[in-house]
C-alpha cells in the first residue's frame, strides 16, 4: 500500500519550509491566484532540496479572491490560462535543475472542473499539449478525473481526510454543517482508513468506495505542518509507504 | 423629450478628456476592475470641470479580465464590493468639491445582476444603504431595474444604440452574429429613434417597447469620442434635450 | 507602565482568529496589498467581538509583492492611496457598529515614510484630513513620527521585539545577519525590557533610548499566535498593563 | 536607409487591430502590467496575420499603475520577472505557429534599466538565457543598451518622435514643459529627420547624434493608429524602408 501526501505551496502563507520535510508532492502556485516569479523559484528550489515532486498549481487570475471564486471562462481561455501557468512552473523547475511531475488545478478551477466536462477537457488538453507524462491530480469519480483519463493522462485520485463525503463520493460543501473535520486525531485515523481500505464513511453513514492515490494537506491552515508530520508518521507506522506517484 | 448620454471613464483608456465635452453622466471606475485612487481623483475633477454628473462604476475585482468575467459571489459579498466602490468614488467627489449622482455596475456584474434577482437586490441595498437619492442605471425590464425600484431607488433605463435587441427587450449576446452595430450613422439614427419612440426594432423585425433614459457610449472603443459628439449634436438637432437625470 | 500589542490582520494568512484574544490593536488590510471587502468586514467584526482597537493598514496596491516592494509614487498619489484605504476600513467599522482608532502604514510604505519626510507628510495629511483624532503608528525617531506630530496627530511609537536595532534607533535591515531574533524567549524578555526601560540594547552593544508605545507581533509568521500569548502573559506578569493607546 | 516601427500591444486598449497594418514590430504585454493569456494569444495571432515581428514586452507586476511606477526590486527578481514574461509570449507565439523576435521592457522597468546598470544586466541575462538571438530594444546611449551589447545581444536603438531630447541624448522627463510633442505633422517630420540623419535637435537647440533603429508609436493614445499610418507612408515616401530589424 502506498500514498502520496500533497500540499499547495508558493502561495505566500509562510508554511512551505515547515511542510516540505513531510510531504511528497508540492503543488506550486504560478502567480495567478497567488505567488510571483521569485516566490515560485524559491519554492521550487525548496522542493528540490527536500526531494519533493514538483507540480504546477494553476488557478484563476484572482488574487483578491485567492482563486476561490468561480468565474465563467470559455474553455479555450481556461486552456490558455492553465498552459501559461504550467509553463512558468516547468521553466522554474528546469532553471533550478528539476522538472515538473504533476498538475493540480487550484480552488474554484478545481471545483468547477470536477463537475464541468468541457472545462475539464480544456485542462486536460493544456496538460497533454505541454507534456503527456504529467500526472493530473483530480477528485475520484469527477469530470476532471474522466477528462484526464480520456485525454491519455495518468490521473491520481486526490482525497481530503479533513472533509466529509457524500454518498456519491463527492465532498460535502464547506457551507454545510459538519463539512470540515477539525480534530487532528480524527483526521489522521480517517486518512489511514481511506488509504488502506480505499473507502470512506459518508455523512449518511454509508460506506463508500473511493480511490485514494494522494492526500491533500491544506498548506494555508495554522497547524498544517503538525498535521503533515502526524499523517506522515501515522502512514509509516501503519506500513503504508509515502511517496509521490511514479511518472 | 430628454436623454442622458453616459460613458464609463477612469478606466485608463485614454478617451476621458475627449468624451467629457459631449457626455452628461460619467461612470467612474473605482479601482476594482480598472483605475486607481489617483486616476479616480483626476477623472472626478475632469467631470466636475465639464459639469458632467458623476457616478460610481463598481465592478468585480478582476483587472485581468477587466471585470468582464462572471464570478460566483455571495450576495453579501457583492453588497460589500459595491458599497466599498461607491464610497471611494463618493469620497473622491467630495474631496474635489462635488458629490455623486448615480451608480452603474460594470461589465459582468451588470449583466449578472440584470438576470439574477438576489444579486440585484444586494446591489440595490448597497446603494440605498449609502444614499437613497442615488440613481441606479440598469437595463429596462431587468431584475436589476426591478430591484432598484423595489429598494426605493430612482432607476434610469439604459439602452445601447450599437447593440441588437431581442424581442423580449434583452440584448443579443455579443457572441451572436449581428449583435454589435458598427456603422456610426446607423447607431446615431437608431439612438434618435430609441429615445423619441421609446421603442426599438428587434432582430426578428418586431417592434419592441423599451424605456430609454440614458444612452451608453462605450468609453474604451476607438472612435468613441467622435460617436459621442455625433450623438450629442444629432439629439440636439432633433430637439431632444441632453442632460443627466435629475437626482 | 502600559503597552499596546498590535498585529497586522485581514491579510488572508489564517491567524486572525488565534491572534485576536491576545492583541489590543488590529491593523486591518484594506484590499490594496492584501484582503478584500468581505475579508475586511469579517476581520473588523472579529476585532469588535474581542474588544480590539481597529486600525487601517494602508499599503501599496501591490498584491504580487504583498506591499513589500518600494514604489516611487508622488506624495499626492500616496495621500490618495492612504485616504482611500482609511475610508474603506472606517466604513467597514461603522457598518459593524464600531469606529477606527489608528492608522499604521504597511510594509514598503511604512519603511519609505520612516525616512522620506515628504511621503510621511502626505500620509499625515491623509489621516488628519479624514479624522484628526486617529492615532498614527510610526517608528520612534522617524520622519513618519515627526510628520505625524507636526501634522497635529497623536503618534504611538512602534517597536519590534524580534528585530535588532542600530545605535541610532533604526532597525537593522532584514538582509543583514542577526537582524531577526528567532528565539521566542529572547523576544519576550527583550520586549519586557524595551517597554519597562524605554531603551534597547543595540547591535553594537550600546544602550539606546527608544520610545515604545506599541509592540508589533507579525501576523503572518507561523507561531505568531503562541508568541502573542506569551508576550501578553509576560507583560501582565511583569505588571505592565496591556491596552490600546487612548484616542 | 531603414527603420522599424514598433508599438506596445496586447494591453487591452483597443487599438491593436488598427495599428497592425502599419507597424513592423509588436511588443506584446504578458499579463504582468496588462493583458492576460487569452489576449496574449489573440494579439500574437493578429501580429502573425499582418506579418509583424512579435516581441515580449515585460513589465512590473503592477496593473494598478500600468507598470509605470518605479519599484525597487533585486536584480535576481527582475531577471525572474522578465524571463517569465518572455516565456509566456514565446510559448504563445509557438502555439500560433510563430516565434518571438525581440524584447522591449515596459514603462518603469525600461526607464529604470536605462540608467541602472545592474538592473539592465539582469534583463540582458534573462533574454540571453532564453535565446541569444533575440533583439533587445533599448534607448540609445543607455545602460540597457550597453548591457545588451555586453551580454552578446543584438540591440536596436529605440527613439520617440513625439518626445523632446536633452543634450546628452536622454529624454526630457514627461513632467517638464515641452517634453511631449503633440502636433502630428511635427512628429512625422521629426521622425523622418531622426531616421535619415541619426541626429535630433535637443531642447537646448543643440544638434545631437542619436542612433535610431526603431521608432515607437504609443499604442494607448487616441489617434495612434492615424499617426502610425502617417509615419509609415511618410517614411516610404522619403525612400526609407520600413521593416523589423533582422534577427
Amino acid at each position: 500500500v502506498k500514498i502520496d501526501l500533497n500540499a499547495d505551496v508558493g502561495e505566500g502563507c509562510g508554511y512551505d519550509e515547515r511542510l516540505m520535510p513531510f510531504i511528497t508532492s508540492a503543488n506550486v502556485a504560478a502567480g495567478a491566484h497567488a505567488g510571483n516569479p521569485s516566490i515560485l523559484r524559491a519554492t521550487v528550489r525548496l522542493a528540490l532540496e527536500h526531494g519533493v515532486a514538483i507540480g504546477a498549481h494553476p488557478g484563476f487570475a484572482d488574487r483578491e479572491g485567492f482563486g476561490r471564486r468561480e468565474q465563467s471562462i470559455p474553455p479555450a481561455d481556461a486552456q490558455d490560462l492553465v498552459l501559461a501557468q504550467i509553463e512558468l512552473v516547468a521553466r522554474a523547475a528546469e532553471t533550478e535543475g528539476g522538472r515538473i511531475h504533476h498538475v493540480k488545478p487550484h480552488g474554484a478551477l478545481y471545483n468547477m472542473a470536477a463537475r464541468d466536462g468541457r472545462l475539464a477537457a480544456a485542462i486536460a488538453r493544456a496538460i497533454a499539449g505541454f507534456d503527456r507524462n504529467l500526472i493530473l491530480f483530480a477528485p475520484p469519480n469527477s469530470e476532471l478525473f474522466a477528462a484526464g483519463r480520456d485525454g491519455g493522462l495518468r490521473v491520481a485520485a486526490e482525497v481530503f481526510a479533513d472533509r466529509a463525503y457524500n454518498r456519491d463520493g463527492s465532498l460535502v460543501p464547506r457551507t454545510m454543517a459538519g463539512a470540515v473535520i477539525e480534530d487532528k486525531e480524527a483526521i489522521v485515523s480517517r486518512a489511514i482508513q481511506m488509504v488502506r481500505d480505499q473507502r470512506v464513511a459518508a455523512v449518511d453513514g454509508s460506506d463508500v468506495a473511493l480511490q485514494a492515490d494522494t492526500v491533500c494537506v491544506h498548506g494555508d491552515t495554522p497547524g498544517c505542518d503538525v498535521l503533515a508530520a502526524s499523517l506522515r508518521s501515522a502512514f509509516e507506522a501503519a506500513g503504508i509507504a509515502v511517496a509521490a506517484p511514479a511518472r
Side-chain angles (χ1 to χ4, degrees), chain A:
Chain A
V1 194
K2 219 190 90 173
I3 193 68
D4 177 47
L5 261 182
N6 81 73
D8 304 343
V9 294
E11 295 179 332
C13 284
Y15 287 108
D16 296 4
E17 286 193 52
R18 293 164 173 246
L19 281 170
M20 288 291 182
F22 306 112
I23 61 174
T24 42
S25 288
N27 322 309
V28 190
H33 71 279
N36 64 39
S38 304
I39 292 176
L40 172 51
R41 277 279 290 279
T43 308
V44 159
R45 207 178 303 132
L46 197 64
L48 287 169
E49 283 165 18
H50 286 87
V52 172
I54 297 165
H57 192 45
F60 284 123
D62 165 31
R63 289 178 180 276
E64 288 84 359
F66 200 66
R68 291 189 177 137
R69 292 184 186 139
E70 301 205 346
Q71 291 187 0
S72 127
I73 185 170
D77 285 13
Q79 188 173 340
D80 285 348
L81 181 83
V82 168
L83 179 57
Q85 295 182 56
I86 294 173
E87 282 158 14
L88 290 177
V89 180
R91 169 66 70 151
E94 275 169 44
T95 308
E96 294 296 329
R99 60 172 185 165
I100 61 166
H101 161 271
H102 67 276
V103 176
K104 174 180 161 182
H106 170 80
L109 185 63
Y110 183 88
N111 294 334
M112 290 172 72
R115 51 177 207 262
D116 176 345
R118 290 181 62 221
L119 178 60
I123 293 172
R125 277 196 305 277
I127 299 170
F130 185 80
D131 179 354
R132 241 165 228 296
N133 294 310
L134 292 176
I135 302 169
L136 169 63
F137 284 17
N141 309 329
S142 68
E143 291 290 334
L144 183 58
F145 194 99
R149 276 283 156 88
D150 294 350
L153 300 171
R154 234 206 96 189
V155 189
E158 182 185 44
V159 296
F160 298 83
D162 62 347
R163 293 289 298 277
Y165 278 85
N166 292 311
R167 186 180 207 132
D168 66 354
S170 66
L171 290 168
V172 174
R174 278 174 183 278
T175 47
M176 309 272 285
V180 178
I181 298 160
E182 304 274 1
D183 181 70
K184 295 264 185 282
E185 285 184 38
I187 297 171
V188 172
S189 64
R190 191 172 168 85
I192 299 285
Q193 186 197 6
M194 288 169 96
V195 173
R196 197 161 40 195
D197 306 344
Q198 303 276 306
R199 306 190 73 81
V200 72
V203 277
D204 66 354
S206 62
D207 183 54
V208 177
L210 197 74
Q211 183 178 340
D213 300 320
T214 183
V215 171
C216 180
V217 178
H218 291 104
D220 58 350
T221 315
C224 63
D225 47 345
V226 176
L227 179 60
S230 303
L231 283 170
R232 175 120 196 190
S233 56
F235 281 132
E236 289 172 351
I240 298 167
V242 183
R247 261 182 74 125

